[in-house]
Amino acid sequence: MLHPSYAELIKVVNSEVEEGEDPVVNSRYSIVMATSKRARQIIAGDETLVDGKGRKALSVAVEELNEGKVRILTEQPEEEIEEVEELEEVEEIEEPEEEEVSSEEITE
């Protein structure tokens, strides 16, 4: 049996969610994806946020999540994404076309 259990991890992750809001995580899949991503970061050289000496990266990632040292970020609501896209749109400015000059016209 894993310690902490998936149910315990889900409670920890959702502990900061206010009543009436959607939970950050509601499935084991989300926990697995988050901890595996963090484990890959640790393997790639990121510093651990808990004592990880002699332990596997996944075990360290689970402990970090359980202690609240890392958080799972949710996707932005669609409205916010649309606002960001509107801000990123840049008007295209037409540059004046360069006049073609033939070699005959370059004589001095």
Side-chain angles (χ1 to χ4, degrees), residues 16-60:
E16 295 181 16
V17 175
E18 294 183 20
E19 194 170 316
E21 291 183 0
D22 291 332
V24 175
V25 172
N26 54 13
S27 69
R28 291 186 211 185
Y29 177 78
S30 299
I31 296 291
V32 169
M33 294 303 296
T35 53
S36 64
K37 182 174 183 174
R38 178 64 183 140
R40 285 191 299 274
Q41 291 172 344
I42 292 169
I43 291 168
D46 285 8
E47 290 187 38
T48 59
L49 304 173
V50 296
D51 182 30
K53 193 171 188 178
R55 297 174 44 209
K56 294 183 179 180
L58 185 58
S59 297
V60 173

